[in-house]
Amino acid sequence: MQSRFDEILASILPERPVLLAVSGGVDSMVMADLFMGSPLSGRFEVAHCNFHLRGEESDSDEAFVRDWCEANGVGFIKKDFRTREYSLSRGVSLEMAARELRYSWFEEVCRKRGFGAVAVAHNSLDNAETLMLNLLRGTGLKGACGMKQVSSLNGSDDLFLLRPLLGFSRDEIREYAVSRGLKWREDSTNKDTTFKRNLLRNNVFPLFAQINPSFVRTLAQDMERFSQVQSLADDFVAEETPRVLKGKYRLDLGALLGNRHWKYLLFRIMESYGFAPQTIRELTSCLEAGDSAGGKRFISGDLVAVTSGSEIVIARLAASHGSLTVDGPGEYSLDGTVFSVREVTASALKQKTGTTLMAIGFPFTVRHWQDGDWMQPLGMRGRRKKLSDMFTDLKFSLPDKERALVVADEGSHVLSLLGYRIDESVKAEQGRKCILVDITG
């Protein structure tokens, strides 16, 4: 097992030292022992998380791992977590809370101490559990690929998560531990079937084994095939997405619907922005029915997708009703009005209705107009004008007034009636950097 492990390490290790996540269980203790016997010996330290979920048992696990490190001359780093409090405050399960806490801490330790990766002791049974949980959650093809031997740590570009035991079975790991005379800790919560993984492992997988004694190996082979298909799908999305996107936040409906696999392409694009699968399904149904005109809105978290006859605009929703902070270029939406923001160099071009050019910087606040709002319209130096009077001049209807947005300054002074007028103080001078706001819906 050591030689096979060493071959795996040689293919996945970064140049920098590695941090081992060791709980004290049989899997992590075997991984630590294998690292000790590998060419990497001396180039790793151990990290232990005490989640304080099992009272004295949790503290005993910590002491056990610390003693092993001292006996073997290995650096020991530990962290105490208030896991239950975190779980309640975030509204997530204890499993998810522990996962978020430990991986966030792992990244912090790696950056502070110069580690290039974290090694965890997931094995082939863990991967089978992950596959089944992903399928039950409905994560699609990506989730059906299971875990990888090497992946990004918390989405970072320069830190990695290593799973050197992923190709080993639970039986192989236990046999190795026994043959080496290793000691380990048993987690009493492994029998608690209120945890989904334990329910699968203890109640469901024994039934799978009756149908196919080699089901873990079979699922591993399936995940490899799914990964190959995922790679083909990734290539397709990478090639077709530029033909659909108009800028960063607009999808050309003609180009999208003209693609034979437009439903999958739409799913991948919208998923990349953070839209929930249910919201994407609702958007897909709308497009299938040919009902995209008229500004249909599909909201997911703080994002909204707004349709028209020719495009889908993705925008950020206001954090609270009535106003939002624009902190950079992008697409925004405030109570149904969608507008784009970008940085440009002012030219001699005149502003047109629906477009506003202002010599201001980020961040700035956009809100609905209020009684008493006033500005000094461009060209009217020293003369204030109430927005209510400007509405009359512009022949605004009542709905127009209700939709009107302004860029706020201090008090009732506004810097712009978006899409129509700007204040003298934000006049854009030719050749200067400024902000262009374009109301699109």
Side-chain angles (χ1 to χ4, degrees):
M1 187 170 177
Q2 182 72 62
S3 61
R4 183 176 159 201
F5 181 84
D6 291 347
E7 289 178 3
I8 292 170
L9 279 189
S11 66
I12 66 176
L13 275 178
E15 294 182 357
R16 290 184 288 169
V18 176
L19 185 66
L20 308 191
V22 178
S23 66
V26 62
D27 298 331
S28 63
M29 295 311 298
V30 165
M31 180 179 72
D33 187 76
L34 288 167
F35 264 93
M36 284 293 297
S38 76
L40 197 71
S41 181
R43 292 186 54 226
F44 68 87
E45 293 184 43
V46 163
H48 178 80
C49 300
N50 190 334
F51 296 109
H52 291 282
L53 293 173
R54 295 175 286 119
E56 292 184 3
E57 189 177 332
S58 293
D59 295 335
S60 296
D61 289 348
E62 177 186 322
F64 174 78
V65 176
R66 180 189 289 109
D67 290 346
W68 183 90
C69 289
E70 290 178 355
N72 290 278
V74 175
F76 175 77
I77 312 165
K78 72 103 173 184
K79 178 75 171 181
D80 294 288
F81 294 106
R82 300 173 64 180
T83 314
R84 293 190 190 280
E85 290 87 339
Y86 182 92
S87 170
L88 291 172
S89 66
R90 299 298 179 94
V92 297
S93 67
L94 284 174
E95 291 171 287
M96 182 56 68
R99 185 185 190 284
E100 291 178 0
L101 287 169
R102 67 177 176 269
Y103 284 118
S104 178
W105 178 60
F106 289 157
E107 180 180 4
E108 178 185 337
V109 173
C110 285
R111 296 200 181 284
K112 285 183 178 179
R113 301 176 71 112
F115 294 104
V118 174
V120 293
H122 293 141
N123 58 51
S124 61
L125 183 63
D126 295 318
N127 208 13
E129 292 165 3
T130 297
L131 168 64
M132 298 309 300
L133 289 171
N134 286 344
L135 291 176
L136 292 171
R137 280 197 299 263
T139 55
L141 181 58
K142 185 176 181 180
C145 296
M147 297 183 285
K148 306 297 181 189
Q149 278 192 331
V150 182
S151 58
S152 170
L153 177 61
N154 264 6
S156 64
D157 294 328
D158 57 340
L159 298 176
F160 302 96
L161 188 64
L162 311 180
R163 300 182 178 91
L165 294 183
L166 200 60
F168 295 92
S169 70
R170 176 62 57 84
D171 288 342
E172 286 178 297
I173 291 169
R174 285 189 173 271
E175 287 173 6
Y176 176 88
V178 171
S179 69
R180 291 277 295 170
L182 300 182
K183 295 181 180 179
W184 65 87
R185 299 277 298 173
E186 292 289 354
D187 185 343
S188 62
T189 63
N190 285 339
K191 299 178 181 179
D192 185 354
T193 54
T194 59
F195 295 105
K196 294 176 183 177
R197 279 189 179 273
N198 292 346
L199 182 62
L200 271 174
R201 184 183 306 146
N202 298 327
N203 292 12
V204 178
F205 279 5
L207 298 178
F208 283 6
Q210 291 180 29
I211 299 171
N212 177 4
S214 302
F215 78 94
V216 173
R217 185 181 305 144
T218 301
L219 291 179
Q221 294 169 350
D222 285 339
M223 283 185 276
E224 178 60 32
R225 297 187 190 100
F226 294 149
S227 295
Q228 294 170 6
V229 175
Q230 179 69 50
S231 180
L232 291 173
D234 290 344
D235 290 345
F236 164 76
V237 172
E239 182 177 346
E240 296 298 324
T241 295
R243 299 173 184 172
V244 172
L245 285 182
K246 296 163 46 179
K248 189 175 181 181
Y249 299 99
R250 295 167 182 268
L251 282 69
D252 185 314
L253 273 182
L256 174 68
L257 298 178
N259 191 295
R260 179 182 175 187
H261 304 292
W262 70 267
K263 294 179 185 178
Y264 180 72
L265 182 58
L266 177 65
F267 177 85
R268 288 290 300 271
I269 292 174
M270 300 302 289
E271 181 188 45
S272 70
Y273 286 104
F275 282 84
Q278 178 58 37
T279 305
I280 302 173
R281 284 193 290 271
E282 292 169 359
L283 173 58
T284 302
S285 296
C286 172
L287 298 181
E288 276 187 305
D291 190 24
S292 62
K296 302 285 185 181
R297 291 161 52 83
F298 300 86
I299 297 173
S300 182
D302 64 347
L303 296 170
V304 60
V306 183
T307 67
S308 70
S310 62
E311 65 182 3
I312 300 170
V313 178
I314 299 168
R316 188 184 308 171
L317 287 167
S320 60
H321 181 79
S323 70
L324 64 80
T325 298
V326 176
D327 52 14
E331 302 286 334
Y332 295 82
S333 175
L334 178 56
D335 299 333
T337 300
V338 177
F339 57 94
S340 64
V341 179
R342 55 193 174 102
E343 291 182 291
V344 298
T345 300
S347 67
L349 294 175
K350 294 182 178 180
Q351 296 187 116
K352 60 182 180 179
T353 299
T355 299
T356 302
L357 193 66
M358 301 173 289
I360 61 173
F362 297 113
F364 59 88
T365 300
V366 174
R367 62 168 171 81
H368 288 285
W369 82 283
Q370 301 169 357
D371 287 334
D373 279 350
W374 60 271
M375 64 189 302
Q376 294 182 27
L378 185 63
M380 296 177 63
R381 291 179 179 273
R383 291 177 57 189
R384 294 186 178 187
K385 191 160 187 173
K386 289 185 177 180
L387 259 62
S388 56
D389 294 333
M390 294 175 63
F391 292 152
T392 300
D393 296 343
L394 293 166
K395 297 182 172 55
F396 269 29
S397 64
L398 181 59
D400 290 334
K401 294 178 183 178
E402 291 176 346
R403 288 194 298 267
L405 300 179
V406 302
V407 175
D409 194 19
E410 296 182 0
S412 297
H413 182 210
V414 299
L415 302 178
S416 172
L417 172 59
L418 283 182
Y420 296 94
R421 300 286 187 272
I422 64 169
D423 190 79
E424 182 72 36
S425 65
V426 295
K427 176 182 177 181
E429 297 182 7
Q430 188 169 356
R432 293 286 187 87
K433 292 287 185 181
C434 49
I435 302 298
L436 181 67
V437 179
D438 186 10
I439 296 178
T440 58

